[in-house]
Amino acid sequence: MAPHDAVLGWDEDTTAEAYDAFTREFPMYGTTSRDLARRAHLADSRLIVDLCGGAGATAQAILELAPATARVISLDNAAAMQRVGRRTLNDPRLTWVTAGAEDLGSHVPAGQADAVVCNSAIWKTDVPRVFTAVRTVLRPGGRFVFNIGGGFAGVRHDDEKSAHPGPSLNRLIHHVAARDYGYAPPPTRPAAPKLPLEAVTAHLSSAGLDLLDAEVVAQHGTVAEKRAWLSIPLFARPDGDFTHAQRMDILAKAYALTTPDAPTVTSWLTIVAQRPE
């Protein structure tokens, strides 16, 4: 089943507005979206699905690569995200559908999609159900392209391993929260990856999809970008009984201890699968 918080928080106007502002100011979603769209081989496509499409960053990348005659369906179950997307992305080729990823087959004709693309969200879905639905809507030879954050996939790119040592912004947040608010993080043990490649491969096989490629990709950013990300209400830290104002106070104090343009590296497991011909 999908995690309980798969929608919680996303369907709120404050989160949707902050998320959209982040995607316009910083390159992370544009870069990852263009990479996924490129891997989907869209040159001859007629119908493409942007799965868990949010406010449309990935749909925009798809539209830039797809033929002028292609149709794009952006499907997401957070209406607030789509309201923001409709305001900024007005293209007659794009249709917005408010629905869960698991219900993909109810909104896309069986065997008609040339590609399904999903950026940064597949792990939040009921993966076996979604993979089965993707297989249903893809035409023979159609591609399914998605990525999984390195922490969820249990992978690290070499660039991340060799990144400049020093306390991360997250670690500094915990330090400031402990110093100024008496925060004591709960004891944790290293968690097993939520969706490692072995599980992805097994789910794809069960759904009748072939794995074509799996690559660990590095995304380069800055501490300033990380701060902007952690300013989005849904991602604000630390966990626990804090108001958003308190979290923003902690974030500001932690950020003051960093170098804003210092480089950061995150890892992604990028998957290309296909419905057999």
Side-chain angles (χ1 to χ4, degrees):
M1 295 179 62
H4 177 68
D5 65 345
V7 184
L8 184 64
W10 284 111
D11 199 17
E12 296 177 358
D13 291 335
T14 53
T15 292
E17 294 288 351
Y19 172 86
D20 181 61
F22 176 88
T23 62
R24 286 185 279 108
E25 184 175 358
F26 295 96
M28 184 185 79
Y29 275 104
T31 300
T32 53
S33 293
R34 286 189 294 273
D35 177 60
L36 295 177
R38 177 182 59 80
R39 295 170 188 260
H41 290 184
L42 303 178
D44 298 321
S45 296
R46 291 175 294 179
L47 177 62
I48 305 129
V49 178
D50 172 23
L51 190 64
C52 304
T58 303
Q60 183 172 354
I62 290 170
L63 288 164
E64 290 171 358
L65 289 179
T69 55
R71 293 190 301 121
V72 178
I73 295 174
S74 186
L75 184 144
D76 196 282
N77 51 10
M81 296 288 284
Q82 293 192 329
R83 283 196 295 271
V84 171
R86 286 190 177 96
R87 189 178 67 212
T88 57
L89 186 56
N90 183 19
D91 190 304
R93 295 176 292 165
L94 176 61
T95 300
W96 301 87
V97 174
T98 306
E102 296 80 5
D103 296 325
L104 173 65
S106 299
H107 301 278
V108 179
Q112 296 300 304
D114 297 284
V116 175
V117 179
C118 182
N119 191 355
S120 312
I122 201 70
W123 72 275
K124 296 285 278 185
T125 70
D126 185 334
V127 173
R129 283 183 61 195
V130 169
F131 283 13
T132 298
V134 168
R135 200 271 184 197
T136 298
V137 303
L138 280 176
R139 64 164 174 79
R143 288 195 164 199
F144 179 29
V145 185
F146 59 96
N147 56 12
I148 306 166
F152 300 119
V155 298
R156 293 184 72 199
H157 191 275
D158 288 343
D159 286 1
E160 184 179 359
K161 296 175 186 176
S162 61
H164 182 70
S168 67
L169 185 55
N170 279 329
R171 184 174 297 181
L172 290 170
I173 285 170
H174 286 166
H175 167 74
V176 171
R179 183 192 69 194
D180 295 357
Y181 291 88
Y183 173 69
T188 59
R189 292 181 294 178
K194 294 179 181 293
L195 195 57
L197 179 58
E198 294 80 3
V200 171
T201 303
H203 290 315
L204 289 172
S205 178
S206 294
L209 295 165
D210 294 335
L211 176 65
L212 298 183
D213 187 45
E215 181 182 358
V216 180
V217 177
Q219 172 66 28
H220 297 83
T222 64
V223 175
E225 181 181 44
K226 181 69 172 178
R227 182 202 186 181
W229 179 253
L230 293 174
S231 298
I232 298 173
L234 189 62
F235 304 117
R237 297 290 182 268
D239 295 328
D241 190 19
F242 293 94
T243 66
H244 185 64
Q246 288 173 329
R247 289 191 174 97
M248 292 302 96
D249 174 63
I250 293 167
L251 176 60
K253 291 174 179 176
Y255 183 67
L257 301 174
T258 71
T259 302
D261 60 355
T264 61
V265 183
T266 55
S267 301
W268 298 84
L269 178 62
T270 301
I271 302 292
V272 180
Q274 185 178 54
R275 177 176 173 177
E277 297 275 5

